[in-house]
Amino acid sequence: MKIVGKSSTVLALMTYSCLPALAQTPQAQIPTFRAETQLVMVDVVADIKEKTLHTRALLTDLKKEDVRVFDNGHEMPIRSFDIGAHYETRPIALWLIVQCNDGVHAEWHSEFLRNKTQLLRPALAGLHIDDAIGVAHWCDDGTASVDLPAGRDPGAAVAGIDRVISGQAVPEENGTGETAMQKMIRLVLDNVHQATPQRLPVFLFLYGDDCGTHEDASYRFQHGDHCGTPEDEAHRMIEDVLETSGVVFGMNDNGYSYNAEDMFHDGRVFHLVHYYSHETGGQFYSTTDPRQFSAALDYILLQLHLRYTIGFKPLLVDGKRHTLKVELTKEAAKRFPGAEMRFRQEYIPVAAPSSAP
């Protein structure tokens, strides 16, 4: 069994999120993926508990016959099985996402990275030759922008983050932050669609304040910072990402405590990026030691480069919600005890638009 050893060190240092509370979320709240191609492509990251350490490491030598995929509970024939360790999966477009300075508190939003962005540089050396990197941001005044279209210059990306978080403070306008984030996501996806070759969009939210608990949010709401996102807005935003099989990751300095039980409250979604990362098969990393930022980013890239991509034909092209499930066969589960796989949770198969004659 091939295991990537350096991931153990990272996972021993970083805290990553799992969301058991979401299993109890009403069905209507679960976002979806819209499949408009002949095959539904599911990106999967597999990891396993190491035998001698209380850590997990990437599992890289699964084969097609080791895996089962289910569409609405029906096992589907696997038509394609691409292995990242063999350089068979499509390259990635890594988008560094930040929120602009609001001039209120330095520990909120993305300002935890001020004077620390250079710590990301070592990990960015791990981008492959066909990968791309870009920068985008949103502000609570309703504005959003792609600051650096996806390209090949990690140094320019780091400089772009610096410009946003060190720029002039942008005051908040009530209720416009959610709209701005959704606009930013669409701008990024437009850039992804126009790029050649087609890449997997990866949203890395460098977001120091994921709203904390709803008690924190209640205090902040009363003091002018309208934290939390209405559930319908959150679902629309994540569907935009899932339409292109995008993956969301997050990273911060652990300045606010995270509790999955506080995810939904009073019709709003808190810990928003944690929620997005779970629904897309990503993760969220927090550390109080800025020196570990590069290790966390390095592990994120490692997961993406060593992922599997499974293709199957939809059970029905009916425009309705379909649940997705990927699991090991019984034989593979015996060979790899404790293995786990991350993948998006649902999709909607819709017919591709007909071509003009």
Side-chain angles (χ1 to χ4, degrees):
M1 178 174 60
K2 181 180 179 182
I3 292 181
V4 180
K6 65 178 176 179
S7 64
S8 303
T9 303
V10 176
L11 288 182
L13 294 168
M14 310 303 297
T15 301
Y16 62 92
S17 68
C18 56
L19 307 182
L22 288 186
Q24 302 173 2
T25 303
Q27 181 71 13
Q29 295 179 350
I30 301 177
T32 59
F33 173 78
R34 299 184 182 274
E36 298 186 357
T37 58
Q38 186 178 12
L39 291 183
V40 179
M41 308 305 293
V42 185
D43 291 289
V44 179
V45 172
D47 65 20
I48 190 168
K49 183 179 179 180
E50 292 194 312
K51 294 180 179 179
T52 57
L53 298 171
H54 296 293
T55 57
R56 302 191 67 82
L58 294 176
L59 176 60
T60 63
D61 53 354
L62 293 177
K63 299 178 176 60
K64 178 181 175 181
E65 55 268 25
D66 293 327
V67 177
R68 306 169 73 193
V69 60
F70 296 84
D71 182 338
N72 269 353
H74 297 269
E75 184 169 3
M76 307 302 294
I78 295 175
R79 301 302 181 94
S80 64
F81 188 82
D82 296 328
I83 302 174
H86 298 169
Y87 299 95
E88 295 171 349
T89 54
R90 60 177 166 156
I92 67 171
L94 175 66
W95 286 88
L96 305 180
I97 307 296
V98 292
Q99 185 175 10
C100 60
N101 172 22
D102 68 356
V104 180
H105 292 285
E107 69 271 20
W108 289 0
H109 310 319
S110 300
E111 294 169 64
F112 77 96
L113 267 179
R114 187 173 292 183
N115 300 319
K116 301 182 183 73
T117 56
Q118 298 303 314
L119 297 173
L120 301 175
R121 280 182 174 270
L124 293 177
L127 289 169
H128 288 174
I129 188 169
D130 290 327
D131 293 339
I133 184 170
V135 176
H137 80 273
W138 85 99
C139 303
D140 276 344
D141 67 347
T143 59
S145 175
V146 167
D147 303 278
L148 180 71
R152 305 289 181 83
D153 191 342
V158 171
I161 296 173
D162 277 329
R163 284 193 296 272
V164 175
I165 63 178
S166 302
Q168 184 175 357
V170 178
E172 179 185 8
E173 295 182 14
N174 187 16
T176 59
E178 295 90 352
T179 303
M181 181 186 282
Q182 190 169 13
K183 177 182 178 182
M184 178 208 66
I185 289 172
R186 294 309 312 175
L187 289 171
V188 168
L189 294 179
D190 287 345
N191 185 272
V192 170
H193 292 320
Q194 296 167 10
T196 302
Q198 287 292 306
R199 298 180 174 92
L200 174 71
V202 178
F203 294 76
L204 174 55
F205 282 81
L206 300 166
Y207 194 33
D209 166 24
D210 206 17
C211 282
T213 65
H214 61 261
E215 289 85 0
D216 297 330
S218 176
Y219 171 84
R220 291 181 54 186
F221 190 91
Q222 296 172 20
H223 291 78
D225 187 357
H226 301 281
C227 195
T229 297
E231 289 181 14
D232 58 343
E233 289 287 344
H235 303 150
R236 281 197 291 270
M237 280 190 275
I238 198 61
E239 284 187 351
D240 286 344
V241 177
L242 290 168
E243 284 178 3
T244 57
S245 68
V247 186
V248 173
F249 288 86
M251 185 192 305
N252 69 18
D253 63 349
N254 207 27
Y256 280 80
S257 60
Y258 166 70
N259 183 354
E261 300 298 329
D262 262 326
M263 185 67 63
F264 297 95
H265 189 77
D266 292 337
R268 300 176 78 84
V269 180
F270 302 93
H271 304 295
L272 191 61
V273 182
H274 284 80
Y275 169 58
Y276 290 166
S277 63
H278 175 270
E279 293 302 315
T280 62
Q283 288 186 316
F284 198 108
Y285 297 85
S286 297
T287 176
T288 56
D289 183 356
R291 293 171 297 179
Q292 296 303 324
F293 290 162
S294 185
L297 178 53
D298 183 66
Y299 186 61
I300 289 171
L301 294 176
L302 200 63
Q303 294 175 65
L304 294 166
H305 289 144
L306 297 179
R307 74 189 190 277
Y308 304 90
T309 301
I310 301 171
F312 68 94
K313 286 189 175 181
L315 180 66
L316 291 171
V317 182
D318 56 7
K320 298 180 180 179
R321 291 174 181 264
H322 288 224
T323 59
L324 279 174
K325 183 179 180 181
V326 181
E327 67 179 24
L328 295 180
T329 63
K330 290 182 179 180
E331 294 77 11
K334 290 179 181 178
R335 296 204 320 273
F336 306 117
E340 295 180 359
M341 293 186 286
R342 298 198 319 273
F343 48 90
R344 64 177 179 272
Q345 305 298 302
E346 287 195 342
Y347 79 104
I348 295 178
V350 296
S354 58
S355 308

mmCIF file of all heavy atoms in Angstrom, residues 202-233:
data_model
loop_
_atom_site.group_PDB
_atom_site.id
_atom_site.type_symbol
_atom_site.label_atom_id
_atom_site.label_comp_id
_atom_site.label_asym_id
_atom_site.label_seq_id
_atom_site.Cartn_x
_atom_site.Cartn_y
_atom_site.Cartn_z
ATOM 1 N N VAL A 202 -10.707 25.150 -7.739
ATOM 2 C CA VAL A 202 -10.495 24.941 -6.310
ATOM 3 C C VAL A 202 -10.532 26.302 -5.632
ATOM 4 O O VAL A 202 -9.723 27.183 -5.939
ATOM 5 C CB VAL A 202 -9.148 24.253 -6.039
ATOM 6 C CG1 VAL A 202 -8.928 24.083 -4.538
ATOM 7 C CG2 VAL A 202 -9.089 22.901 -6.752
ATOM 8 N N PHE A 203 -11.478 26.488 -4.727
ATOM 9 C CA PHE A 203 -11.632 27.743 -3.997
ATOM 10 C C PHE A 203 -10.990 27.582 -2.628
ATOM 11 O O PHE A 203 -11.469 26.816 -1.797
ATOM 12 C CB PHE A 203 -13.109 28.077 -3.818
ATOM 13 C CG PHE A 203 -13.856 28.371 -5.081
ATOM 14 C CD1 PHE A 203 -14.229 27.346 -5.937
ATOM 15 C CD2 PHE A 203 -14.207 29.670 -5.421
ATOM 16 C CE1 PHE A 203 -14.932 27.603 -7.097
ATOM 17 C CE2 PHE A 203 -14.901 29.937 -6.587
ATOM 18 C CZ PHE A 203 -15.269 28.910 -7.429
ATOM 19 N N LEU A 204 -9.905 28.297 -2.387
ATOM 20 C CA LEU A 204 -9.278 28.295 -1.065
ATOM 21 C C LEU A 204 -9.611 29.621 -0.380
ATOM 22 O O LEU A 204 -9.034 30.662 -0.708
ATOM 23 C CB LEU A 204 -7.760 28.112 -1.167
ATOM 24 C CG LEU A 204 -6.994 28.231 0.153
ATOM 25 C CD1 LEU A 204 -7.525 27.271 1.221
ATOM 26 C CD2 LEU A 204 -5.499 28.028 -0.065
ATOM 27 N N PHE A 205 -10.561 29.571 0.543
ATOM 28 C CA PHE A 205 -10.961 30.765 1.285
ATOM 29 C C PHE A 205 -9.974 30.994 2.418
ATOM 30 O O PHE A 205 -9.906 30.210 3.378
ATOM 31 C CB PHE A 205 -12.369 30.599 1.849
ATOM 32 C CG PHE A 205 -13.461 30.796 0.844
ATOM 33 C CD1 PHE A 205 -13.812 29.774 -0.022
ATOM 34 C CD2 PHE A 205 -14.136 32.009 0.763
ATOM 35 C CE1 PHE A 205 -14.818 29.956 -0.958
ATOM 36 C CE2 PHE A 205 -15.148 32.200 -0.163
ATOM 37 C CZ PHE A 205 -15.492 31.171 -1.027
ATOM 38 N N LEU A 206 -9.210 32.055 2.310
ATOM 39 C CA LEU A 206 -8.313 32.485 3.372
ATOM 40 C C LEU A 206 -9.123 33.439 4.239
ATOM 41 O O LEU A 206 -9.078 34.659 4.090
ATOM 42 C CB LEU A 206 -7.075 33.146 2.765
ATOM 43 C CG LEU A 206 -6.278 32.217 1.828
ATOM 44 C CD1 LEU A 206 -5.280 33.010 1.004
ATOM 45 C CD2 LEU A 206 -5.594 31.109 2.607
ATOM 46 N N TYR A 207 -9.854 32.852 5.147
ATOM 47 C CA TYR A 207 -10.948 33.575 5.793
ATOM 48 C C TYR A 207 -10.821 33.414 7.296
ATOM 49 O O TYR A 207 -11.123 32.369 7.848
ATOM 50 C CB TYR A 207 -12.273 32.996 5.294
ATOM 51 C CG TYR A 207 -13.496 33.818 5.600
ATOM 52 C CD1 TYR A 207 -13.448 35.214 5.636
ATOM 53 C CD2 TYR A 207 -14.712 33.202 5.835
ATOM 54 C CE1 TYR A 207 -14.583 35.957 5.890
ATOM 55 C CE2 TYR A 207 -15.856 33.931 6.088
ATOM 56 C CZ TYR A 207 -15.782 35.309 6.125
ATOM 57 O OH TYR A 207 -16.914 36.047 6.380
ATOM 58 N N GLY A 208 -10.380 34.470 7.960
ATOM 59 C CA GLY A 208 -10.079 34.404 9.377
ATOM 60 C C GLY A 208 -11.269 34.427 10.281
ATOM 61 O O GLY A 208 -11.157 34.131 11.466
ATOM 62 N N ASP A 209 -12.455 34.755 9.755
ATOM 63 C CA ASP A 209 -13.656 34.807 10.591
ATOM 64 C C ASP A 209 -14.744 34.075 9.848
ATOM 65 O O ASP A 209 -15.296 34.586 8.887
ATOM 66 C CB ASP A 209 -14.049 36.263 10.849
ATOM 67 C CG ASP A 209 -15.458 36.367 11.411
ATOM 68 O OD1 ASP A 209 -15.919 35.398 12.006
ATOM 69 O OD2 ASP A 209 -16.072 37.425 11.242
ATOM 70 N N ASP A 210 -15.073 32.878 10.305
ATOM 71 C CA ASP A 210 -16.148 32.118 9.677
ATOM 72 C C ASP A 210 -17.419 32.247 10.498
ATOM 73 O O ASP A 210 -18.216 31.329 10.592
ATOM 74 C CB ASP A 210 -15.743 30.653 9.554
ATOM 75 C CG ASP A 210 -16.453 29.951 8.414
ATOM 76 O OD1 ASP A 210 -16.985 30.635 7.545
ATOM 77 O OD2 ASP A 210 -16.476 28.715 8.435
ATOM 78 N N CYS A 211 -17.586 33.386 11.147
ATOM 79 C CA CYS A 211 -18.768 33.794 11.902
ATOM 80 C C CYS A 211 -18.817 33.287 13.335
ATOM 81 O O CYS A 211 -19.609 33.773 14.124
ATOM 82 C CB CYS A 211 -20.059 33.392 11.192
ATOM 83 S SG CYS A 211 -20.444 34.513 9.845
ATOM 84 N N GLY A 212 -17.977 32.314 13.677
ATOM 85 C CA GLY A 212 -18.025 31.816 15.041
ATOM 86 C C GLY A 212 -19.374 31.202 15.367
ATOM 87 O O GLY A 212 -20.097 30.742 14.510
ATOM 88 N N THR A 213 -19.750 31.168 16.634
ATOM 89 C CA THR A 213 -21.035 30.616 17.044
ATOM 90 C C THR A 213 -22.138 31.633 16.787
ATOM 91 O O THR A 213 -21.889 32.811 16.537
ATOM 92 C CB THR A 213 -21.030 30.287 18.545
ATOM 93 O OG1 THR A 213 -20.882 31.514 19.276
ATOM 94 C CG2 THR A 213 -19.875 29.362 18.889
ATOM 95 N N HIS A 214 -23.395 31.176 16.870
ATOM 96 C CA HIS A 214 -24.472 32.124 16.631
ATOM 97 C C HIS A 214 -24.552 33.157 17.747
ATOM 98 O O HIS A 214 -25.069 34.253 17.552
ATOM 99 C CB HIS A 214 -25.813 31.400 16.455
ATOM 100 C CG HIS A 214 -26.262 30.608 17.634
ATOM 101 N ND1 HIS A 214 -26.068 29.243 17.709
ATOM 102 C CD2 HIS A 214 -26.906 30.966 18.767
ATOM 103 C CE1 HIS A 214 -26.591 28.802 18.852
ATOM 104 N NE2 HIS A 214 -27.091 29.815 19.500
ATOM 105 N N GLU A 215 -24.003 32.824 18.956
ATOM 106 C CA GLU A 215 -23.947 33.848 20.001
ATOM 107 C C GLU A 215 -22.981 34.969 19.593
ATOM 108 O O GLU A 215 -23.271 36.154 19.771
ATOM 109 C CB GLU A 215 -23.499 33.221 21.324
ATOM 110 C CG GLU A 215 -24.530 32.324 21.981
ATOM 111 C CD GLU A 215 -24.502 30.904 21.449
ATOM 112 O OE1 GLU A 215 -23.666 30.627 20.560
ATOM 113 O OE2 GLU A 215 -25.316 30.088 21.914
ATOM 114 N N ASP A 216 -21.801 34.584 19.013
ATOM 115 C CA ASP A 216 -20.874 35.588 18.497
ATOM 116 C C ASP A 216 -21.564 36.419 17.432
ATOM 117 O O ASP A 216 -21.450 37.650 17.398
ATOM 118 C CB ASP A 216 -19.645 34.922 17.859
ATOM 119 C CG ASP A 216 -18.825 34.129 18.851
ATOM 120 O OD1 ASP A 216 -18.827 34.504 20.026
ATOM 121 O OD2 ASP A 216 -18.199 33.145 18.429
ATOM 122 N N ALA A 217 -22.280 35.744 16.545
ATOM 123 C CA ALA A 217 -22.916 36.430 15.434
ATOM 124 C C ALA A 217 -23.993 37.386 15.913
ATOM 125 O O ALA A 217 -24.166 38.470 15.366
ATOM 126 C CB ALA A 217 -23.521 35.403 14.470
ATOM 127 N N SER A 218 -24.737 36.976 16.945
ATOM 128 C CA SER A 218 -25.776 37.854 17.478
ATOM 129 C C SER A 218 -25.177 39.154 17.999
ATOM 130 O O SER A 218 -25.683 40.253 17.742
ATOM 131 C CB SER A 218 -26.531 37.137 18.602
ATOM 132 O OG SER A 218 -27.484 37.985 19.188
ATOM 133 N N TYR A 219 -24.058 39.042 18.706
ATOM 134 C CA TYR A 219 -23.372 40.236 19.202
ATOM 135 C C TYR A 219 -22.936 41.121 18.050
ATOM 136 O O TYR A 219 -23.156 42.336 18.044
ATOM 137 C CB TYR A 219 -22.170 39.832 20.054
ATOM 138 C CG TYR A 219 -21.283 41.010 20.434
ATOM 139 C CD1 TYR A 219 -21.580 41.795 21.536
ATOM 140 C CD2 TYR A 219 -20.153 41.338 19.665
ATOM 141 C CE1 TYR A 219 -20.781 42.880 21.886
ATOM 142 C CE2 TYR A 219 -19.351 42.414 20.004
ATOM 143 C CZ TYR A 219 -19.675 43.176 21.114
ATOM 144 O OH TYR A 219 -18.892 44.238 21.431
ATOM 145 N N ARG A 220 -22.353 40.502 17.030
ATOM 146 C CA ARG A 220 -21.815 41.270 15.921
ATOM 147 C C ARG A 220 -22.932 41.886 15.093
ATOM 148 O O ARG A 220 -22.791 42.979 14.562
ATOM 149 C CB ARG A 220 -20.921 40.375 15.075
ATOM 150 C CG ARG A 220 -19.643 39.989 15.791
ATOM 151 C CD ARG A 220 -18.768 39.122 14.947
ATOM 152 N NE ARG A 220 -18.519 39.759 13.667
ATOM 153 C CZ ARG A 220 -17.870 39.184 12.678
ATOM 154 N NH1 ARG A 220 -17.412 37.968 12.820
ATOM 155 N NH2 ARG A 220 -17.680 39.816 11.542
ATOM 156 N N PHE A 221 -24.062 41.172 14.971
ATOM 157 C CA PHE A 221 -25.190 41.725 14.223
ATOM 158 C C PHE A 221 -25.655 43.029 14.878
ATOM 159 O O PHE A 221 -25.942 44.018 14.201
ATOM 160 C CB PHE A 221 -26.334 40.708 14.180
ATOM 161 C CG PHE A 221 -27.439 41.083 13.238
ATOM 162 C CD1 PHE A 221 -27.414 40.651 11.923
ATOM 163 C CD2 PHE A 221 -28.499 41.870 13.659
ATOM 164 C CE1 PHE A 221 -28.421 41.000 11.039
ATOM 165 C CE2 PHE A 221 -29.517 42.220 12.788
ATOM 166 C CZ PHE A 221 -29.477 41.777 11.477
ATOM 167 N N GLN A 222 -25.695 43.034 16.205
ATOM 168 C CA GLN A 222 -26.126 44.231 16.925
ATOM 169 C C GLN A 222 -25.120 45.364 16.808
ATOM 170 O O GLN A 222 -25.457 46.525 17.001
ATOM 171 C CB GLN A 222 -26.337 43.888 18.404
ATOM 172 C CG GLN A 222 -27.454 42.882 18.641
ATOM 173 C CD GLN A 222 -27.494 42.428 20.084
ATOM 174 O OE1 GLN A 222 -26.962 43.094 20.986
ATOM 175 N NE2 GLN A 222 -28.121 41.281 20.325
ATOM 176 N N HIS A 223 -23.873 45.033 16.476
ATOM 177 C CA HIS A 223 -22.826 46.054 16.390
ATOM 178 C C HIS A 223 -22.405 46.327 14.961
ATOM 179 O O HIS A 223 -21.299 46.797 14.708
ATOM 180 C CB HIS A 223 -21.620 45.634 17.249
ATOM 181 C CG HIS A 223 -21.914 45.670 18.714
ATOM 182 N ND1 HIS A 223 -22.636 44.674 19.339
ATOM 183 C CD2 HIS A 223 -21.614 46.587 19.677
ATOM 184 C CE1 HIS A 223 -22.750 44.976 20.630
ATOM 185 N NE2 HIS A 223 -22.141 46.112 20.862
ATOM 186 N N GLY A 224 -23.279 45.985 14.002
ATOM 187 C CA GLY A 224 -23.056 46.446 12.638
ATOM 188 C C GLY A 224 -22.476 45.438 11.681
ATOM 189 O O GLY A 224 -22.396 45.708 10.495
ATOM 190 N N ASP A 225 -22.044 44.268 12.158
ATOM 191 C CA ASP A 225 -21.478 43.274 11.248
ATOM 192 C C ASP A 225 -22.510 42.157 11.084
ATOM 193 O O ASP A 225 -22.725 41.373 11.989
ATOM 194 C CB ASP A 225 -20.173 42.711 11.813
ATOM 195 C CG ASP A 225 -19.472 41.806 10.808
ATOM 196 O OD1 ASP A 225 -20.033 41.590 9.719
ATOM 197 O OD2 ASP A 225 -18.378 41.329 11.121
ATOM 198 N N HIS A 226 -23.175 42.098 9.942
ATOM 199 C CA HIS A 226 -24.301 41.190 9.757
ATOM 200 C C HIS A 226 -23.792 39.810 9.378
ATOM 201 O O HIS A 226 -23.759 39.413 8.219
ATOM 202 C CB HIS A 226 -25.255 41.772 8.713
ATOM 203 C CG HIS A 226 -25.761 43.123 9.120
ATOM 204 N ND1 HIS A 226 -26.779 43.276 10.036
ATOM 205 C CD2 HIS A 226 -25.359 44.367 8.794
ATOM 206 C CE1 HIS A 226 -27.007 44.572 10.228
ATOM 207 N NE2 HIS A 226 -26.150 45.248 9.488
ATOM 208 N N CYS A 227 -23.375 39.085 10.405
ATOM 209 C CA CYS A 227 -22.731 37.791 10.221
ATOM 210 C C CYS A 227 -23.769 36.717 9.934
ATOM 211 O O CYS A 227 -24.928 36.829 10.296
ATOM 212 C CB CYS A 227 -21.971 37.455 11.496
ATOM 213 S SG CYS A 227 -20.784 36.140 11.310
ATOM 214 N N GLY A 228 -23.315 35.636 9.272
ATOM 215 C CA GLY A 228 -24.209 34.558 8.901
ATOM 216 C C GLY A 228 -24.891 34.862 7.580
ATOM 217 O O GLY A 228 -25.065 36.018 7.194
ATOM 218 N N THR A 229 -25.287 33.819 6.867
ATOM 219 C CA THR A 229 -25.902 33.959 5.552
ATOM 220 C C THR A 229 -27.250 33.253 5.551
ATOM 221 O O THR A 229 -27.347 32.119 6.029
ATOM 222 C CB THR A 229 -24.991 33.332 4.476
ATOM 223 O OG1 THR A 229 -23.757 34.052 4.447
ATOM 224 C CG2 THR A 229 -25.637 33.402 3.103
ATOM 225 N N PRO A 230 -28.306 33.881 5.044
ATOM 226 C CA PRO A 230 -29.592 33.186 4.943
ATOM 227 C C PRO A 230 -29.429 31.862 4.206
ATOM 228 O O PRO A 230 -28.659 31.760 3.244
ATOM 229 C CB PRO A 230 -30.454 34.173 4.150
ATOM 230 C CG PRO A 230 -29.854 35.517 4.426
ATOM 231 C CD PRO A 230 -28.373 35.264 4.541
ATOM 232 N N GLU A 231 -30.155 30.832 4.662
ATOM 233 C CA GLU A 231 -29.963 29.494 4.118
ATOM 234 C C GLU A 231 -30.190 29.439 2.608
ATOM 235 O O GLU A 231 -29.442 28.763 1.888
ATOM 236 C CB GLU A 231 -30.888 28.511 4.830
ATOM 237 C CG GLU A 231 -30.476 28.248 6.270
ATOM 238 C CD GLU A 231 -31.378 27.253 6.972
ATOM 239 O OE1 GLU A 231 -32.165 26.567 6.271
ATOM 240 O OE2 GLU A 231 -31.312 27.154 8.203
ATOM 241 N N ASP A 232 -31.203 30.142 2.099
ATOM 242 C CA ASP A 232 -31.462 30.074 0.656
ATOM 243 C C ASP A 232 -30.307 30.679 -0.135
ATOM 244 O O ASP A 232 -29.936 30.185 -1.205
ATOM 245 C CB ASP A 232 -32.786 30.741 0.301
ATOM 246 C CG ASP A 232 -32.852 32.200 0.730
ATOM 247 O OD1 ASP A 232 -32.035 32.616 1.577
ATOM 248 O OD2 ASP A 232 -33.725 32.933 0.213
ATOM 249 N N GLU A 233 -29.687 31.750 0.396
ATOM 250 C CA GLU A 233 -28.537 32.342 -0.278
ATOM 251 C C GLU A 233 -27.348 31.384 -0.251
ATOM 252 O O GLU A 233 -26.628 31.226 -1.250
ATOM 253 C CB GLU A 233 -28.151 33.657 0.399
ATOM 254 C CG GLU A 233 -29.133 34.803 0.187
ATOM 255 C CD GLU A 233 -29.072 35.353 -1.219
ATOM 256 O OE1 GLU A 233 -28.095 35.066 -1.937
ATOM 257 O OE2 GLU A 233 -30.011 36.053 -1.615
#
